[in-house]
């Protein structure tokens, strides 16, 4: 019997996170039987939902269909229909609900290990609108001044605090969808998140690759962290009991690229191809 001694973290990264599913298409038979806990935030949480719902291809097809006619970040014609000019939230929400239909939710809830998604709570002293601007600004600033950053710190210093939730506790597809949307909340592209009666923001404000959420899970001896952008070689690979896997080059898609011709399939394919590049490192790590 295979021991579930592996933690698996899905970092955020918007549409770049399809790279993670490409990796796992090649590694799934080896990796998944050993998983003893899953952590994720933002689009990484969405990828975990697609994976464990069993509906990856169904969701990819639906996502492509819903993006038809989208030619940029802003669609002013939506305003005439009484909608927000950004189509991202509606497409994202519909895709998650589609993946969780027809047994998808039940498969997620039936997993024999925690599936923890991270959201960020606003500082108490800041109104939410100000908090959105401050939190996202601090996160982008830190990426600019600390290009080697793997785990951010600036937003927490400003008072943003972690709110982790187990996806298996969600009792409906709508509830789990709202959890993922809260973990991915990045105004103006998506609305401010709301879960458990609290306004929330993208979990990346606290940690874009929240592997620490599984530190208390019994039996986990090592941890595989799937990133969505390149990092310097000394920051990825095997780092103690963790192995960070990142793209070897910038991916062709941006975080919020929801255009009809967005290179989603190409990004997925790069992950599938690079699974072979990273395989020796990962297999050596798992054999330790």
């Amino acid at each position: 019997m295979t021991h579930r001694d592996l933690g698996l973290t899905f970092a955020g990264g918007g549409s770049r996170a399809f790279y993670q599913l490409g990796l796992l298409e090649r590694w799934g038979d080896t990796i998944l039987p050993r998983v003893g806990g899953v952590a994720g935030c933002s689009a990484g949480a969405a990828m975990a939902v697609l994976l464990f719902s069993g509906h990856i291809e169904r969701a990819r097809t639906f996502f492509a269909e819903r993006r038809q006619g989208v030619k940029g970040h802003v669609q002013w014609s939506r305003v005439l229909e009484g909608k927000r000019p950004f189509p991202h939230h509606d497409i994202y929400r519909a895709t998650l609900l589609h993946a969780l239909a027809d047994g998808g939710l039940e498969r997620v809830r039936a997993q024999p290990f925690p599936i923890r998604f991270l959201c960020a709570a606003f500082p108490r002293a800041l109104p939410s609108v100000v908090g959105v601007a401050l939190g996202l600004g601090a996160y982008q600033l830190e990426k600019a001044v600390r290009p080697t950053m793997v785990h951010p710190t600036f937003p927490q210093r400003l008072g943003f605090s972690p709110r982790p939730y187990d996806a298996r506790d969600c009792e409906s597809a709508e509830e789990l969808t709202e959890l993922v949307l809260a973990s991915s909340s990045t105004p103006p592209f998506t609305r401010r998140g709301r879960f458990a009666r609290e306004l929330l923001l993208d979990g990346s404000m606290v940690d874009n690759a929240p592997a620490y959420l599984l530190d208390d899970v019994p039996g986990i001896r090592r941890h595989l962290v799937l990133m969505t952008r390149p990092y310097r070689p000394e920051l990825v690979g095997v780092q103690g009991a963790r192995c960070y896997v990142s793209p070897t080059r910038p991916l062709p898609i941006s975080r919020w690229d929801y255009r009809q011709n967005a290179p989603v399939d190409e990004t997925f394919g790069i992950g599938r191809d690079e699974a072979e590049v990273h395989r020796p490192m990962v297999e050596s790590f798992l054999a330790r």
Side-chain angles (χ1 to χ4, degrees), residues 248-266:
T248 62
R249 63 187 188 276
L251 295 172
I253 198 167
S254 62
R255 291 175 61 91
W256 289 107
D257 190 351
Y258 276 35
R259 296 170 300 149
Q260 65 180 18
N261 62 346
V264 172
D265 291 341
E266 184 179 349

Side-chain angles (χ1 to χ4, degrees), residues 36-286:
V38 170
C41 73
S42 197
M47 296 304 114
V49 165
L50 300 192
L51 175 67
F52 293 110
S53 72
H55 285 157
I56 292 176
E57 290 307 313
R58 165 188 174 127
R60 284 177 61 197
T61 299
F62 182 84
F63 186 52
E65 292 171 350
R66 286 299 299 261
R67 298 193 332 268
Q68 291 302 306
V70 178
K71 298 182 179 179
H73 285 325
V74 182
Q75 288 186 294
W76 293 112
S77 60
R78 289 170 53 88
V79 176
L80 300 177
E81 301 171 5
K83 301 177 181 178
R84 290 161 49 87
F86 301 96
H88 305 75
H89 184 94
D90 293 344
I91 295 172
Y92 196 177
R93 187 176 191 277
T95 301
L96 289 167
L97 289 172
H98 190 73
L100 290 169
D102 300 327
L105 172 69
E106 289 73 18
R107 280 187 283 274
V108 172
R109 297 190 68 196
Q111 297 303 315
F113 43 74
I115 304 175
R116 295 172 178 169
F117 296 155
L118 181 64
C119 306
F122 289 90
R124 291 184 180 181
L126 289 176
S128 59
V129 174
V130 176
V132 167
L134 186 62
L136 295 178
Y139 180 67
Q140 293 300 326
L141 175 63
E142 187 168 16
K143 286 203 298 184
V145 301
R146 295 180 59 207
T148 62
M149 173 189 70
V150 175
H151 301 282
T153 61
F154 282 12
Q156 286 196 74
R157 294 179 187 178
L158 294 174
F160 288 87
S161 55
R163 294 291 188 275
Y165 300 95
D166 193 325
R168 300 177 306 163
D169 294 336
C170 294
E171 298 181 353
S172 68
E174 290 76 11
E175 186 180 7
L176 180 48
T177 294
E178 292 309 313
L179 171 56
V180 175
L181 289 173
S183 181
S184 308
S185 176
T186 312
F189 299 114
T190 62
R191 298 184 178 94
R192 285 174 293 166
R194 183 178 289 276
F195 191 78
R197 300 181 180 181
E198 189 172 18
L199 281 174
L200 299 166
L201 201 58
D202 194 309
S204 297
M205 299 297 100
V206 176
D207 194 333
N208 189 51
Y212 79 93
L213 292 180
L214 302 178
D215 284 350
D216 65 341
V217 178
I220 291 182
R221 298 176 49 242
R222 67 201 83 204
H223 203 124
L224 187 64
V225 185
L226 306 183
M227 311 300 284
T228 61
R229 62 184 178 91
Y231 288 83
R232 292 183 182 177
E234 65 268 22
L235 299 174
V236 293
V238 178
Q239 306 282 336
R242 294 181 184 175
C243 179
Y244 291 82
V245 177
S246 69
T248 62
R249 63 187 188 276
L251 295 172
I253 198 167
S254 62
R255 291 175 61 91
W256 289 107
D257 190 351
Y258 276 35
R259 296 170 300 149
Q260 65 180 18
N261 62 346
V264 172
D265 291 341
E266 184 179 349
T267 300
F268 184 92
I270 292 171
R272 191 168 48 206
D273 294 341
E274 290 200 355
E276 301 310 312
V277 175
H278 296 301
R279 185 183 295 276
M281 174 186 68
V282 172
E283 289 183 346
S284 175
F285 174 71
L286 294 177

